[in-house]
Amino acid sequence: GPTVAFGGTDTATKLPFTGVLRAPAGASVVTPLTTLVDLLMEKTPSLSFAPAQANVLSALGISLPTGVSVNLLTFDPIEESTKAGNSAAAKATALNLQKVGVLVASLVVGIQEEAVAAGAVSPSSTASASKIFGALAEMLTANALTSGSVSATASALTQKVADQPAAFGLSLSPVAKQALIDRKPEIA
């Protein structure tokens, strides 16, 4: 089964980690991007790791420079961005992957915060975050994210949550739906 991470301290922010992330079996790192890859593989059983990773990276607008390869199962972007001997392109790719991972996590947390503010879920619920990650993976499966940018992905996912809150286990009033849409996730 997948590797699952919960609790403890987020190594990037040094803040308490209250979410749940996962990665395909055998992974040595667990990140928001490995969570999407694992969920995509779960939703499309015929999809192996490499195509699932390529799909996630492409949907999020990440293209790897010539000569730079990444295996999200073992790739620690913080370590790789500072590793002596890595090329400038490899270090820049690592920083970009870290940034996108943080932005994906921020998007999920932002949607969950709006749901909590609307009274749709308990502040301690991790189920809604898992459902939001799952919905993002479903959008990847359906090729609904074709823009190739994180900001477009954030907007599409936010709109989907507002349009279909029940799919996320949420019940949002019209005012809460509009607040979610107006929130505009802070994605650069």
Side-chain angles (χ1 to χ4, degrees):
T3 301
V4 179
F6 59 93
T9 303
D10 184 315
T11 58
T13 65
K14 307 299 184 220
L15 297 173
F17 179 68
T18 58
V20 176
L21 297 176
R22 39 190 287 183
S28 60
V29 295
V30 181
T31 69
L33 299 182
T34 63
T35 301
L36 291 174
V37 170
D38 189 57
L39 289 167
L40 185 58
M41 291 171 60
E42 180 180 277
K43 292 180 183 310
T44 312
S46 63
L47 195 61
S48 64
F49 171 75
Q53 174 180 288
N55 191 334
V56 168
L57 295 180
S58 174
L60 296 175
I62 300 169
S63 59
L64 300 177
T66 303
V68 175
S69 64
V70 169
N71 178 340
L72 291 176
L73 296 180
T74 58
F75 189 83
D76 180 341
I78 295 172
E79 179 182 319
E80 294 297 325
S81 69
T82 60
K83 187 183 276 184
N86 274 356
S87 68
K91 289 179 179 183
T93 298
L95 287 173
N96 189 41
L97 285 168
Q98 177 64 16
K99 175 183 173 185
V100 170
V102 168
L103 293 174
V104 167
S106 295
L107 171 65
V108 171
V109 168
I111 291 172
Q112 187 171 12
E113 285 174 352
E114 287 301 324
V116 168
V121 296
S122 161
S124 61
S125 171
T126 58
S128 61
S130 296
K131 288 182 180 183
I132 294 165
F133 266 114
L136 183 51
E138 285 177 19
M139 293 173 80
L140 292 169
T141 302
N143 293 318
L145 304 176
T146 57
S147 64
S149 77
V150 180
S151 60
T153 297
S155 294
L157 181 59
T158 302
Q159 188 65 51
K160 181 172 180 164
V161 173
D163 290 345
Q164 302 171 354
F168 301 89
L170 305 176
S171 174
L172 300 176
S173 69
V175 171
K177 286 179 186 180
Q178 192 59 49
L180 178 61
I181 293 167
D182 292 344
R183 182 181 176 103
K184 302 290 184 206
E186 296 180 20
I187 306 286

